[in-house]
Amino acid sequence: QILSETALTLERCCHSGSAETNEGFDGDADSESDQDVEMDSDMDEYVQIKNSDTVRKGHKRKHKGSGNQCQKFGYTIDELELLIQASEAEITEGLENLNAFEHNGRYVLLDQQLHDETFDMMLTIITAKALPFQRVSEKEIIAGMDMDEDKVPDFVVKQIFRMHSDNTKTEHTLADSFWCLNAQSISRFRAKQILKKSRKTPPGLIPVHEFNLQWKSLLPKGVNANESDLIGSAIKVKRLGKEEYSCFLADELPVDDPKACFDLVFAAKKQWKPDELDPYINHLLGPDQTKTDLLKKYTRTCRSVDNPTEKILCAR
């Protein structure tokens, strides 16, 4: 519940009032470039903003509602304590789990589209140069991305490294940082890219064989494509005698509406094994709401057509 409240609060990081420019960028001050400082006044281009169409620099953005400009973005810990009934330690833990990052003392979330586009470019450089994913030079990646017309600020690249690395194995020096990327994180990201793209072409399915070929071709050397990495991202279905994947992402389900969540789950697939449901309902669990409680309220036990002795769940 605390995690859900923190996420919803951070997503409402567009305050009403007149526009106000922040001064400088406090994080990693010794290594930030002039580009980062300049982008600080355009922070709305890089963080999630309530009621906006897009947040990528250079794209047209429309604000709905009163038309007020964004004054400040994100929240301080003190402000979050006033908005959320939780201790500072619990809020800090929630921020870490959300991959929120601090900018000028205020916590913000990185826009998903910008994250996806930037991480894609980073992985493309790593794959093209055959760089070891266990020790990636931050400077080399930033230098490779400098060639892009719409340069992404260094602090965005750093945050994405933090989100997808094993920080205990990352080496920081005065001259550079060498990041140990998480192989499973890379594998899952590339899988989601392919699955999301497949949704755009009716009927929104991709043959398993074709998917696996694309998946393996996008992974850096040493990163394996494991079917377990698709948990919470894809459903395997049979159509015309062939196995295909359907994109169904757990992180797109409602975080605070169990009924809506289960409605979407059973719309995507009529019958589920109990353990298959876990990635799609775990975000709903809490001290006052267990898995058993949810299953009793929103599901019923059925018998599988293929295996009558197997216990499966259907919508109540």
Side-chain angles (χ1 to χ4, degrees), residues 148-306:
D148 188 73
E149 292 181 1
D150 190 12
K151 174 170 165 45
V152 176
D154 293 356
F155 70 82
V156 173
V157 177
K158 290 175 187 288
Q159 173 60 12
I160 292 174
F161 266 127
R162 294 187 192 103
M163 291 170 67
H164 296 282
S165 296
D166 183 343
N167 292 317
T168 63
K169 298 179 181 178
T170 294
E171 177 187 348
H172 298 286
T173 68
L174 292 176
D176 200 357
S177 289
F178 298 91
W179 296 87
C180 178
L181 289 172
N182 182 284
Q184 189 179 57
S185 185
I186 295 172
S187 174
R188 286 178 172 173
F189 173 76
R190 285 306 198 191
K192 283 184 179 181
Q193 277 189 311
I194 301 168
L195 291 166
K196 286 179 179 179
K197 186 176 180 181
S198 71
R199 287 196 296 198
K200 298 177 181 179
T201 306
L205 301 171
I206 181 170
V208 170
H209 177 67
E210 180 184 334
F211 171 84
N212 287 333
L213 288 176
Q214 290 187 38
W215 193 13
K216 291 175 182 178
S217 71
L218 291 174
L219 298 177
K221 184 178 179 181
V223 178
N224 298 319
N226 298 313
E227 189 173 16
S228 60
D229 293 338
L230 300 180
I231 295 173
S233 296
I235 299 172
K236 187 181 286 187
V237 299
K238 280 190 177 182
R239 188 173 70 100
L240 302 177
K242 295 182 180 180
E243 288 190 329
E244 297 179 305
Y245 282 125
S246 171
C247 181
F248 188 53
L249 304 177
D251 54 19
E252 291 182 350
L253 293 173
V255 298
D256 56 353
D257 189 339
K259 184 181 183 307
C261 181
F262 274 92
D263 286 345
L264 290 170
V265 164
F266 285 110
K269 185 178 175 181
K270 295 186 182 300
Q271 298 181 342
W272 294 78
K273 296 178 183 179
D275 59 332
E276 288 180 332
L277 272 179
D278 288 349
Y280 295 103
I281 65 173
N282 280 342
H283 65 284
L284 299 172
L285 305 182
D288 301 322
Q289 191 161 247
T290 66
K291 178 180 177 180
T292 301
D293 295 333
L294 287 172
L295 296 184
K296 283 182 178 179
K297 188 172 182 179
Y298 298 105
T299 72
R300 59 187 175 86
T301 302
C302 306
R303 294 297 174 185
S304 171
V305 176
D306 298 327

Side-chain angles (χ1 to χ4, degrees), residues 31-72:
S31 59
E32 295 301 325
S33 65
D34 291 339
Q35 175 75 15
D36 295 334
V37 176
E38 291 172 7
M39 289 314 306
D40 186 58
S41 61
D42 293 323
M43 193 63 188
D44 58 319
E45 306 287 358
Y46 298 98
V47 298
Q48 288 187 343
I49 302 172
K50 185 85 170 164
N51 296 329
S52 64
D53 292 339
T54 182
V55 291
R56 180 68 193 269
K57 180 175 172 57
H59 291 202
K60 186 176 180 181
R61 184 173 62 257
K62 300 174 183 177
H63 288 288
K64 303 172 185 177
S66 65
N68 290 331
Q69 296 298 313
C70 294
Q71 182 179 19
K72 288 184 178 179

